[in-house]
Each structure stands twice: as structure tokens, then as C-alpha cells.
């Protein structure tokens, strides 16, 4: 069986812990690979390589850094299909969706190519007589990234290209469930000329994560994953004196007003709820139907849901693939059962789906639950699967109150033809990313991505200008080239003249 190892100092390094995790093909349910879990010593070796590489990478010219980034973008472009195939093989999402993930990750490499423009400092001349002030931003040193299973290429690319462009060196701990795509990203970075040790990968579990959080030579940590782990990462990283951004889970609401185009809204609800089997942190998991829209909208969503083609991600006719593991599939299915017991109407029940010739795959059909009580587990928890809840609200005010009472605040969307209502929603809703007739408002690479409340712990959103701010620290330099007349003793606090 193939073992996925670490990538340290620009080359593969075999794990020595004797501890391994399984990597499944979710479409067949078969374990096809295993992943070596890092020891503390292996994490230390990766950090040591990153620290040594920082000596020269941290001061490498912008020309040298961007030469690498442009070359890297070319290589990624040439290997899109290969990266997407690895994602499909280990995550299960359909190939076209995996290609979309690669493209969205490459946006950050493209942003990173513009780093000379982005890192231009500020200069004020003659703030006082013969005194100038310059503000510059410098890299932090060794940065760590810890990433989730659901975007095995894109989320690592939200982090390391920008961190490296800013002059840092990086240690990535990818999800142990689907690590091969990010491993290929590191190999391609090497081929593009990235010096050894600038980008390292340690495979692993809590042992590796905890060591990265405690390591004195790790200056900052970027994390994306579930809310309980995000909270833990933030607290532990702060305890060890590190800068941290920890993006957590979500429960994204899509508000549909009575004046919306309901066919368009139903199409978008289907795409956003069931794409990638609902395993997206920006998936729509709750539709809030306002006024008398509910019956017609639920009918339209149900009609579409029943026609979806579910099958292996390698089959071009599949629109949705399997879930990540058998346990996760069963847990997601249990929410459909519990919702029925807790008062919801099960309009479409996908729990009985069997996919021909793939009976052992981790497939689950799509489910649609209507009139879900806000006390039901299916409403209260992040399900992270192909289950869409519909909640009815009498008025816009009731709907916004419901959305704003959620503990999460990642993405949200409003569907309407009324510009005034949309404008009110933008200003009133408590979430980090808002769509107007756009169900999954993931910002483009040159804006930043992040949620509010339990969806993000830390002060910075990820990528875009916030990403650059996160991966650099400010320095302000006040300069004087004195004239002979500038001397003299004055014990007062410096003031300007
Ligand atoms: P997860 O929190 O289980 O795992 C994320 C990472 O943390 C993995 O690398 C994992 O190995 C590590 N980890 C897990 N348990 C740990 C522990 N006890 N101690 C230390 N490290 C640990 O998340 P997941 O299941 O891989 O991903 C799905 C979750 O990620 C969902 O909640 C989803 O909403 C969230 N997510 C959020 C965003 C966002 O941008 N806000 C994006 C993608 C995914």
C-alpha cells in the first residue's frame, strides 16, 4: 500500500513513528493509501529546515520571489487535471468541482505574483526639518498552516503562496484524510525553483498540530477547520505567543424574499446546498423562506433535488460525489432521522440511496427538510453534508433576527429584486461574507475571506490584503541626516519643527 510521507527540506522524508492513518477512496470505500503521522522530532526537523531557509528567503529580492511565483503559476496551470484527480480520488468531489477548487486556489498565487506592488511601503518626507518617516512591512519568519479535508488544495493555497511571497517560510499540516493534493503542490513548488526548506509538509494528527502550536520558532499559525478545533488552536497559539487566524465552521442562511425569481433561487439553493455533497464551509444549509414563498420554493427545490445524478467523482455525468468517510456519512444521515423526530417535514429523503457498482462507497442522497424547528439538531448543528433545511419566516425582520441569532457568521445571501431590501440586508446581517443573488459569496483572491462570530477566531481574514497584513509585521523608520545646526542638548520629548 502506498504511504504518503512528509516533505521536508525540499525532499520526501519517510515517517518513523510507526503510526499511520488510512486514506480512503470515498467512491469505493476502499483504503488505498496510508499516511504517516509525524513525531515531535519530525515536526522539529521541518521547523528547523524552515528556519534555516528563512535566513536567505526572508531577504531574497522581490524579483527572485516573483520569478518563482510566476513559474509556479505556470506549473499549476499545466497540472490542473492531475491535482484535481488526486482531490477526487481522496475527497470524492466530482472532477469539475475539483478543477474549480484548483482555479480558486490559483487566484491566490496570482495575487502573490503582485507582491511587489502590494508590499510597497509608505514614505513621508520632511515630517520635521530634515526628518523623513518610512513605514515598511517585513516577514514574520516560520509560519505554520493547518488545513481541513474539504478543500485539500485550495485552502493550503489560501495560505502558503502569500506567506512565502511576503518572505516567510512555511510548514503545512494538511488534513490526514486527503493529503496527496497538497503534497503535489509542494513538489511543483520545488520544480518551479523554490529553495529547499521554504515550503515543508508534515503529515499528522494532534501530535503534529500541538508541536507546531508550542514550537518557539513558529511565529504564526493559520488554521481552517471546525469551530471547536479553531477555538482550541487560537487559545493554544496565543498561550505560546503566536499570531493566529483560525477559521471555523458555519451554518449559512439564504434568505428568499417574496419578490425573488423563485426558479433562479431554487437553482442556486440546489447548487449551494448539494455541490461537493454539502461539504463546503460556504454551503447554504438553511433557506429562510419569507412570507408566502415557502410552498412554491420548497416544491421547486424538491423537484430539482430528485433529479440530481449522484455517483463517483470520476464519472463526468455525476453531479455530486460521496462523503469523506463512512462515519461522517452515517452521522449526516442521522440528522435526517432526528429532524423528523424533532418536528421537521422530510420532503426529500436521500438516506436510502445506493449507487450501483459502488455499494461500499460513502454515498448519501440529498435530503430536503421543511419547517425545521430552530430547536432541532439539524438546525442547530453544522451538518456538513447534503441536507438542506428550510425555515419559514413571516417577515424580513423575523428572518434577519433568525440569521443574526446564529452562533456562526460565515457567509449568507439574500435573493430579491428589491435593491433597498438588499442594501438593508448587507448592512444589518451579522456575517463576514454576503451575497446578493449570489449563494456562495466566496471573495475573489484580491479581497479577503473570513467570517464573524464562531466562524473565525483572530483579527485577520485570510488572503487578500488581510492575508498580507497577517503574514507581515510593520516597521516604521524615522530618519534624519543632520546639518551642523541640528545639534544641542534638549531633554524634552521629541517634537517637530
Ligand atoms: P477539523 O477541525 O476536524 O480538522 C482540521 C484540521 O485540524 C486537520 O488538519 C486536522 O488534522 C486537525 N485536527 C483535528 N482535530 C484536532 C485536534 N483535536 N487537535 C489538533 N488538531 C486537530 O475539520 P475538517 O473536518 O477537516 O473540516 C471540516 C470543517 O472545516 C467544517 O467545520 C468546515 O465548516 C470547516 N471549514 C471552514 C472553512 C472556513 O473558511 N471557515 C473552510 C473550510 C472548512
Amino acid at each position: 500500500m502506498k504511504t504518503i510521507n512528509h516533505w521536508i527540506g525540499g525532499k520526501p522524508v519517510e515517517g518513523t513513528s510507526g503510526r499511520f492513518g488510512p486514506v480512503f477512496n470515498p467512491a469505493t470505500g476502499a483504503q488505498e493509501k496510508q499516511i504517516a503521522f509525524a513525531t515531535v522530532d519530525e515536526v522539529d526537523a521541518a521547523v528547523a529546515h524552515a528556519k534555516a531557509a528563512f535566513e536567505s528567503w526572508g531577504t531574497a529580492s522581490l524579483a527572485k520571489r516573483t520569478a518563482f511565483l510566476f513559474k509556479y503559476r505556470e506549473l499549476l496551470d499545466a497540472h490542473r487535471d492531475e491535482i484535481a484527480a488526486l482531490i477526487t480520488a481522496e475527497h470524492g468531489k466530482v472532477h469539475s468541482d475539483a478543477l474549480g477548487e484548483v482555479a480558486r486556489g490559483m487566484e491566490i498565487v496570482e495575487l502573490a505574483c503582485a507582491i511587489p506592488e502590494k508590499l510597497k511601503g509608505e514614505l513621508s518626507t520632511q515630517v520635521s526639518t530634515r526628518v523623513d518617516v518610512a513605514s515598511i512591512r517585513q516577514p514574520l519568519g516560520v509560519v505554520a498552516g493547518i488545513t481541513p479535508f474539504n478543500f485539500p488544495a485550495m485552502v493550503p493555497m489560501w495560505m502558503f503562496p502569500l506567506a512565502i511571497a511576503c518572505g516567510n517560510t512555511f510548514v503545512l499540516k494538511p488534513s490526514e484524510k486527503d493529503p496527496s493534493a497538497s503534497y503535489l503542490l509542494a513538489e511543483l513548488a520545488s520544480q518551479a525553483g523554490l529553495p529547499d526548506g521554504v515550503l515543508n509538509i508534515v503529515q499528522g494528527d494532534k501530535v503534529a498540530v500541538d508541536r507546531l502550536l508550542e514550537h518557539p520558532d513558529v511565529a504564526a499559525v493559520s488554521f481552517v477547520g471546525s469551530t471547536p478545533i479553531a477555538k482550541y488552536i487560537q487559545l493554544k497559539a496565543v498561550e505560546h505567543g503566536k499570531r493566529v487566524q483560525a477559521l471555523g465552521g458555519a451554518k449559512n442562511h439564504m434568505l428568499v424574499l417574496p419578490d425573488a425569481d423563485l426558479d433562479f433561487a431554487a437553482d442556486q439553493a440546489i447548487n449551494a446546498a448539494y455541490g461537493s455533497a454539502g461539504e463546503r464551509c460556504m454551503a447554504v444549509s438553511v433557506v429562510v423562506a419569507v412570507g408566502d414563498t415557502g410552498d412554491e420554493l420548497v416544491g421547486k427545490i424538491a423537484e430539482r433535488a430528485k433529479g440530481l445524478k449522484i455517483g463517483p467523482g470520476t464519472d463526468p455525468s455525476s453531479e455530486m460525489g460521496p462523503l469523506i468517510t463512512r462515519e461522517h456519512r452515517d452521522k449526516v444521515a442521522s440528522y435526517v432521522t432526528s429532524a423528523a423526530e424533532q418536528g421537521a417535514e422530510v420532503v426529500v429523503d436521500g438516506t436510502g440511496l445506493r449507487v450501483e457498482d459502488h455499494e461500499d462507497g460513502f454515498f448519501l442522497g440529498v435530503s430536503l427538510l421543511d419547517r425545521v424547528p430552530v430547536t432541532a439538531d439539524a438546525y442547530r448543528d453544522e451538518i456538513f453534508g447534503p441536507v438542506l433545511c428550510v425555515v419559514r419566516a413571516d417577515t424580513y425582520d423575523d428572518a434577519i433576527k433568525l440569521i443574526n441569532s446564529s452562533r456562526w457568521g460565515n457567509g449568507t445571501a439574500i435573493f430579491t429584486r428589491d435593491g433597498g431590501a438588499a442594501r438593508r440586508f448587507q448592512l444589518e446581517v451579522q456575517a463576514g461574507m454576503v451575497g446578493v443573488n449570489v449563494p456562495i459569496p466566496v471573495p475573489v483572491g484580491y479581497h479577503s475571506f473570513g467570517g464573524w462570530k464562531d466562524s473565525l477566531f483572530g483579527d485577520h481574514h485570510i488572503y487578500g490584503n488581510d492575508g498580507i497584513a497577517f503574514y507581515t509585521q510593520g516597521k516604521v523608520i524615522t530618519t534624519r541626516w543632520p546639518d551642523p545646526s541640528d545639534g544641542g542638548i534638549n531633554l524634552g520629548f521629541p517634537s517637530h519643527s
Side-chain angles (χ1 to χ4, degrees):
M1 186 178 295
K2 184 177 176 194
T3 300
I4 300 152
N5 283 301
H6 316 300
W7 179 267
I8 298 174
K11 58 177 192 302
V13 171
E14 276 188 28
T16 59
S17 69
R19 295 191 307 119
F20 299 94
V23 178
F24 293 98
N25 177 341
T28 62
Q31 183 188 344
E32 293 187 349
K33 302 167 199 162
Q34 63 177 4
I35 176 173
F37 286 161
T39 61
V40 165
D41 285 349
E42 285 158 357
V43 175
D44 286 357
V47 174
H49 275 275
K51 189 180 178 189
F54 181 68
E55 293 288 313
S56 47
W57 186 253
T59 53
S61 69
L62 287 165
K64 194 171 169 192
R65 286 187 240 159
T66 47
F68 154 71
L69 288 160
F70 276 98
K71 179 74 188 155
Y72 189 43
R73 201 236 166 243
E74 266 177 46
L75 276 182
L76 291 171
D77 189 34
H79 288 81
R80 280 174 199 258
D81 256 321
E82 205 182 323
I83 302 166
L86 285 173
I87 295 170
T88 298
E90 295 178 2
H91 174 282
K93 65 178 74 173
V94 299
H95 188 71
S96 54
D97 191 30
L99 279 173
E101 158 172 4
V102 176
R104 293 307 303 263
M106 284 173 60
E107 277 179 16
I108 314 305
V109 180
E110 288 155 8
L111 170 71
C113 287
I115 203 69
E117 168 65 26
K118 288 288 183 183
L119 280 186
K120 275 195 314 206
E122 294 171 335
L123 175 68
S124 301
T125 55
Q126 197 71 347
V127 297
S128 186
T129 306
R130 280 180 289 284
V131 176
D132 302 332
V133 175
S135 294
I136 62 169
R137 298 202 69 84
Q138 292 189 302
L140 306 173
V142 180
V143 175
I146 300 152
T147 53
F149 80 83
N150 66 321
F151 284 106
M154 181 182 79
V155 171
M157 282 198 273
W158 282 359
M159 300 174 182
F160 73 79
L162 213 44
I164 285 171
C166 291
N168 302 284
T169 55
F170 205 88
V171 179
L172 174 69
K173 205 303 284 173
S175 170
E176 67 283 10
K177 297 191 176 84
D178 46 13
S180 294
S182 56
Y183 194 89
L184 177 56
L185 295 179
E187 286 180 313
L188 292 174
S190 222
Q191 281 175 35
L194 190 67
D196 294 348
V198 176
L199 173 60
N200 307 274
I201 297 185
V202 288
Q203 312 292 359
D205 55 3
K206 187 170 163 55
V207 172
V209 171
D210 283 350
R211 182 58 189 155
L212 286 170
L213 295 173
E214 287 162 4
H215 201 297
D217 291 332
V218 173
V221 179
S222 294
F223 171 88
V224 176
S226 60
T227 289
I229 309 298
K231 263 185 191 166
Y232 168 78
I233 299 281
Q234 187 203 28
L235 289 176
K236 200 162 166 84
V238 167
E239 188 189 335
H240 290 274
K242 300 183 196 321
R243 185 177 288 202
V244 59
Q245 56 180 181
L247 283 69
K251 190 89 184 173
N252 305 309
H253 291 63
M254 166 174 164
L255 190 162
V256 182
L257 287 183
D259 71 342
D261 175 336
L262 292 191
D263 281 305
F264 179 73
D267 285 346
Q268 301 303 317
I270 288 279
N271 299 341
Y274 304 132
S276 197
E279 292 173 329
R280 289 177 181 146
C281 67
M282 289 292 274
V284 163
S285 45
V286 182
V287 164
V288 187
V290 176
D292 60 2
T293 52
D295 290 347
E296 194 182 347
L297 183 62
V298 168
K300 286 177 187 294
I301 296 174
E303 186 189 308
R304 288 159 170 77
K306 287 174 189 156
L308 290 175
K309 171 102 175 32
I310 299 165
T314 47
D315 178 348
S317 70
S318 299
E319 291 168 296
M320 192 187 105
L323 276 75
I324 185 73
T325 58
R326 182 171 288 116
E327 296 69 35
H328 185 56
R329 189 264 317 268
D330 294 345
K331 186 168 178 215
V332 172
S334 77
Y335 279 105
V336 179
T337 315
S338 69
E341 291 161 4
Q342 293 167 2
E345 282 173 28
V346 181
V347 181
V348 180
D349 182 350
T351 56
L353 177 88
R354 292 287 167 272
V355 175
E356 215 181 309
D357 298 330
H358 287 80
E359 283 76 10
D360 292 332
F362 309 142
F363 290 98
L364 184 69
V366 304
S367 295
L368 177 63
L369 309 175
D370 192 13
R371 298 183 188 278
V372 181
V374 295
T375 49
D377 294 335
Y379 179 77
R380 292 160 62 97
D381 295 352
E382 182 187 35
I383 300 177
F384 220 56
V387 179
L388 178 60
C389 296
V390 178
V391 177
R392 312 280 186 116
D394 289 337
T395 63
Y396 166 88
D397 286 329
D398 293 339
I400 192 106
K401 205 189 242 169
L402 174 79
I403 298 173
N404 285 349
S405 62
S406 169
R407 55 184 279 231
W408 288 287
N410 213 38
T412 186
I414 185 168
F415 281 69
T416 180
R417 292 183 169 101
D418 179 342
R423 186 172 183 279
R424 235 188 107 179
F425 182 74
Q426 289 164 48
L427 299 178
E428 291 175 354
V429 77
Q430 291 171 21
M433 293 166 284
V434 181
V436 176
N437 299 313
V438 173
I440 306 186
V442 174
V444 288
Y446 37 96
H447 287 258
S448 299
F449 179 113
W452 287 15
K453 302 196 271 188
D454 275 4
S455 295
L456 189 147
F457 303 89
D459 307 316
H460 289 91
H461 286 198
I462 205 161
Y463 67 74
N465 286 342
D466 257 28
I468 293 167
F470 181 77
Y471 292 129
T472 54
Q473 50 197 336
K475 187 179 273 179
V476 185
I477 302 144
T478 303
T479 307
R480 169 161 56 206
W481 296 105
D483 261 12
S485 61
D486 290 335
I489 302 297
N490 180 352
L491 271 58
F493 195 68
S495 58
H496 305 304
S497 55

